Amino acid sequence: MTQPSKPVVTVLTAPGEQEPPGMEAVRSRAEVRFACDEQTLRNTLPGTDVMMVTDFRTEALKAAWGSADRLRWIHATSAGVDALMFDELISSDVVVTNARGIFDRTIAEYVLCTILMFAKDFPGSIRLQMKHEWKHRDTERAQGKQVLVVGAGSIGRQIGRLVSAIGMPAHGIARTPRNEDPDFVAVHGHDSLYEQLSHADFVVIAAPLTPQTEGLFDAKAFSAMKPTARLINIGRGPIVKTDDLITALRNGEIAGAGLDVFEEEPLPKDHPLWDMDNVTMTAHMAGDFIGWKRALTDQFLENFDRWHGGQELFNLVDKALGYAGSSNPA
């Protein structure tokens, strides 16, 4: 069989999703194919060297895996790669990279904004404005409040830096504890989670979804938090057990929640979270900034040049852990 003159790149998008911007630059270096579901992926995978996956929820690759006969590298244009971590891929020689570094700063800005909204009660002010009601009240100072970032990776580091800049001491939770860290007062191990929850005024989930983190925030975790604490989740929805969160919010076990990700997305219109005054919500968009899609393509191209030249890829995912290690350049 005659080998193609260019490597073959298959782009897996969500059904109905437009072609990522900047693909003309990819076409100049590779034969580009597109797939959007299991059937189209089965047709395009044979002969594919590289995959660029833009659908972070996809199950199509797992279903079509048997058609991959030459695949060597998969790049996910998302920080989370949980949908790609199926047994056959994990045990294969195919390397996986992710979009680590693209969304870090904007997600950290989102977290800081959410903290300040809670401290200054902007949700309450907006409700009063909509009712044309003038009501003076006192609000909190953010300075001095403690932030616990669960997931002290590249996103967590940016969060630590921003909240520290306004006088909020930041602690982290990570697989490996460390007493000296430039972005945190300290980074504690997973076994210290409940103890650290009892000290935090704001708890930020920035961890990837793995078997170890799925359902981590349940009734036990909420009972360990201060009744004045707020939870912010910009990680993955299934890390939080939604029913337990609703119970904790209703019973006053915690004071509020700022949510960008959910167990079920889109959130159903009749879901009780919509009508809770102590909850703010956005539609899984904490990291999305104007131009982010082109930035993802540019990042893929940078790594593609490395791959094509036989150099080591950056943002390599540890498939056993399910996320990119901290030793990778951001």
Side-chain angles (χ1 to χ4, degrees):
M1 179 177 176
T2 302
Q3 295 295 318
S5 58
K6 293 181 179 180
V8 177
V9 175
T10 289
V11 182
L12 177 60
T13 66
E17 182 184 353
Q18 293 184 343
E19 176 180 311
M23 290 307 298
E24 64 279 357
V26 182
R27 287 190 180 91
S28 69
R29 310 176 203 190
E31 176 190 334
V32 179
R33 303 172 181 174
F34 288 90
C36 63
D37 55 24
E38 177 186 345
Q39 187 54 55
T40 55
L41 188 57
R42 286 186 185 276
N43 295 335
T44 56
L45 265 181
T48 294
D49 300 288
V50 177
M51 281 192 66
M52 176 182 177
V53 181
T54 68
D55 181 6
F56 66 86
R57 298 183 181 93
T58 188
E59 295 182 358
L61 181 58
K62 179 180 180 180
W65 183 251
S67 299
D69 58 356
R70 208 170 69 194
L71 190 61
R72 290 182 279 169
W73 166 37
I74 298 171
H75 178 74
T77 61
S78 58
V81 294
D82 43 278
L84 300 178
M85 292 297 104
F86 53 91
D87 291 341
E88 294 85 353
L89 173 54
I90 292 172
S91 63
S92 74
D93 293 330
V94 177
V95 297
V96 179
T97 58
N98 73 349
R100 183 177 180 267
I102 294 291
F103 302 110
D104 297 4
R105 179 69 182 195
T106 45
I107 289 177
E109 291 172 358
Y110 174 98
V111 170
L112 179 59
C113 174
T114 304
I115 288 173
L116 293 176
M117 281 202 306
F118 275 125
K120 302 307 174 187
D121 191 26
F122 264 74
S125 295
I126 291 170
R127 287 192 294 270
L128 290 169
Q129 180 181 347
M130 293 178 68
K131 296 189 294 183
H132 297 196
E133 184 176 343
W134 181 279
K135 184 177 181 181
H136 180 274
R137 68 247 190 253
D138 298 334
T139 59
E140 305 168 34
R141 294 184 65 174
Q143 184 180 20
K145 296 291 179 69
Q146 182 168 309
V147 178
L148 179 66
V149 182
V150 181
S154 62
I155 293 173
R157 285 189 171 284
Q158 285 285 347
I159 294 168
R161 290 170 196 169
L162 282 191
V163 300
S164 297
I166 65 166
M168 303 181 75
H171 289 248
I173 295 287
R175 188 166 54 94
T176 305
R178 46 192 184 271
N179 292 324
E180 294 185 6
D181 190 287
D183 300 309
F184 296 98
V185 175
V187 175
H188 312 273
H190 291 161
D191 57 351
S192 298
L193 174 63
Y194 298 114
E195 177 189 354
Q196 293 304 315
L197 286 175
S198 68
H199 302 305
D201 300 292
F202 292 92
V203 177
V204 183
I205 300 173
L209 178 61
T210 67
Q212 291 72 40
T213 62
E214 185 170 3
L216 180 64
F217 276 79
D218 56 6
K220 181 180 179 181
F222 296 128
S223 66
M225 293 171 61
K226 292 181 177 181
T228 54
R230 280 85 166 208
L231 177 77
I232 300 171
N233 189 7
I234 50 80
R236 280 288 186 261
I239 295 175
V240 174
K241 290 189 174 181
T242 307
D243 290 344
D244 289 358
L245 172 62
I246 292 171
T247 298
L249 289 165
R250 285 175 172 167
N251 294 344
E253 292 180 76
I254 65 173
L259 307 173
D260 183 58
V261 290
F262 305 85
E263 283 189 283
E264 183 179 3
E265 296 182 6
L267 195 68
K269 291 183 180 296
D270 60 350
H271 200 282
L273 283 172
W274 288 109
D275 298 315
M276 301 186 78
D277 287 346
N278 54 351
V279 174
T280 66
M281 298 190 300
T282 49
H284 203 140
M285 53 184 277
D288 296 349
F289 55 92
I290 296 170
W292 64 274
K293 291 185 177 181
R294 179 55 192 257
L296 289 173
T297 302
D298 290 343
Q299 184 188 52
F300 169 74
L301 281 168
E302 184 180 352
N303 232 356
F304 182 80
D305 285 342
R306 286 173 174 257
W307 176 83
H308 197 261
Q311 298 174 287
E312 184 179 2
L313 300 176
F314 61 82
N315 286 4
L316 283 168
V317 170
D318 185 324
K319 293 189 290 183
L321 297 176
Y323 53 85
S326 59
S327 61
N328 292 298

